[in-house]
Amino acid sequence: EAQVTQNPRYLITVTGKKLTVTCSQNMNHEYMSWYRQDPGLGLRQIYYSMNVEVTDKGDVPEGYKVSRKEKRNFPLILESPSPNQTSLYFCASSGTRAETGQPQHFGDGTRLSIL
Amino acid sequence: GESVGLHLPTLSVQEGDNSIINCAYSNSASDYFIWYKQESGKGPQFIIDIRSNMDKRQGQRVTVLLNKTVKHLSLQIAATQPGDSAVYFCAENTGGFKTIFGAGTRLFVKA
C-alpha cells in the first residue's frame, strides 16, 4: 500500500529537549515536505526537499532542521523545542515531472506538545 | 503578502444538495491549484487539481472552477453525502516547489 508514515503520532516533551520526527514514503517520490497545522492558519510549509541532499526553506523554517540522506526518508529535527512549536505536523511526498505541481500524499500527522 | 484564503470558514448543507466551497488567491504567478479534503485525525487527501491554462475540471461528483481574472477558485460537490463532511483546503503552487494552503472550510452535511 502506497503511504507516508510518520513517527511518533503523539509526543509530549519539555522545552529544550531535542527531538526528531521521522517520515518515510514507499512511493519512490522525489519531493517531500513538512507542514505544521495550527487552528485558523491552515497548513504552513516548514521545509521541502526536491531530491536527495537537496532541501529548501518553506514559509516557517525557524527552529527546525531537516535532512534528506535517502530518497525515502525526510526527518524533521527540533534541536531546542519551544512551546510555540506545539502543533500538528504533517509530512507529504509527491513525484516530480517536467511541469511544476503534483498532488501530495500526506501522512496522518504527528501531534507535538512542548511544555 | 501572498496568501490563499477562503470566504466561509463553515458551510452547512442538506444531504443531497450541491455544495460550493470558495477560495481566493493573491499570487497571479501561481500555475497549479489543488483541493484537499481532511477528515478528523487524518492527513489531507487529494480531491482534484487544475492548472492555470484551464477554467474547469471535473471529477467524480466534484468540479473545480478557476477564474484567473478575479483570482478565484471554487470546489463544487454534487449530491453531497454525509461522508463528504470534512475540512476542505485549497492550495496553490507559487512556482517551483512551494505550496501555500488556505485556512480551510469545514463542511457539515445534515441528514
Side-chain angles (χ1 to χ4, degrees):
Chain A
E1 179 188 355
Q3 59 185 4
V4 177
T5 304
Q6 300 177 224
N7 279 297
R9 292 292 312 280
Y10 304 91
L11 179 62
I12 301 173
T13 187
V14 296
T15 299
K17 186 177 181 181
K18 180 180 179 180
L19 68 91
T20 299
V21 184
T22 64
C23 175
S24 180
Q25 50 92 6
N26 62 0
M27 294 167 281
N28 199 36
H29 282 164
E30 293 87 357
Y31 179 86
M32 297 185 75
S33 183
W34 276 103
Y35 298 87
R36 60 178 289 173
Q37 184 175 26
D38 301 290
L41 296 177
L43 283 83
R44 292 180 293 168
Q45 196 168 33
I46 303 171
Y47 269 95
Y48 58 94
S49 171
M50 292 75 79
N51 215 324
V52 175
E53 302 291 2
V54 183
T55 63
D56 206 350
K57 297 177 181 178
D59 290 325
V60 288
E62 294 77 21
Y64 304 95
K65 287 175 59 177
V66 293
S67 68
R68 188 88 182 275
K69 293 182 169 52
E70 304 167 286
K71 196 172 187 179
R72 65 181 291 125
N73 296 323
F74 190 44
L76 179 69
I77 303 156
L78 285 72
E79 292 273 3
S80 183
S82 62
N84 65 11
Q85 293 177 298
T86 293
S87 188
L88 178 59
Y89 291 85
F90 287 100
C91 180
S93 73
S94 70
T96 54
R97 296 189 299 224
E99 67 274 25
T100 59
Q102 279 206 23
Q104 295 177 49
H105 299 254
F106 284 82
D108 283 335
T110 295
R111 186 166 292 281
L112 287 183
S113 294
I114 300 164
L115 307 176
Chain B
E2 299 165 352
S3 65
V4 175
L6 293 170
H7 297 309
L8 295 173
T10 302
L11 177 66
S12 183
V13 300
Q14 198 70 38
E15 181 180 358
D17 288 350
N18 296 335
S19 303
I20 300 176
I21 301 172
N22 295 304
C23 176
Y25 66 94
S26 59
N27 188 340
S28 56
S30 294
D31 57 3
Y32 177 63
F33 304 87
I34 319 103
W35 280 101
Y36 291 94
K37 172 186 180 183
Q38 186 178 26
E39 296 174 296
S40 181
K42 295 186 177 181
Q45 180 181 13
F46 168 76
I47 302 173
I48 191 167
D49 58 2
I50 188 168
R51 300 197 182 274
S52 58
N53 60 353
M54 301 173 68
D55 298 321
K56 179 180 179 179
R57 191 159 189 233
Q58 288 183 291
Q60 188 175 12
R61 282 201 308 118
V62 294
T63 301
V64 55
L65 298 177
L66 175 63
N67 185 331
K68 295 180 286 294
T69 302
V70 294
K71 295 178 190 154
H72 184 268
L73 191 68
S74 69
L75 175 69
Q76 300 178 2
I77 305 174
T80 312
Q81 303 169 359
D84 294 327
S85 293
V87 176
Y88 290 81
F89 293 97
C90 63
E92 62 178 311
N93 266 43
T94 60
F97 296 94
K98 274 195 171 182
T99 303
I100 296 178
F101 280 78
T105 292
R106 183 174 297 279
L107 176 66
F108 289 103
V109 181
K110 296 177 288 186

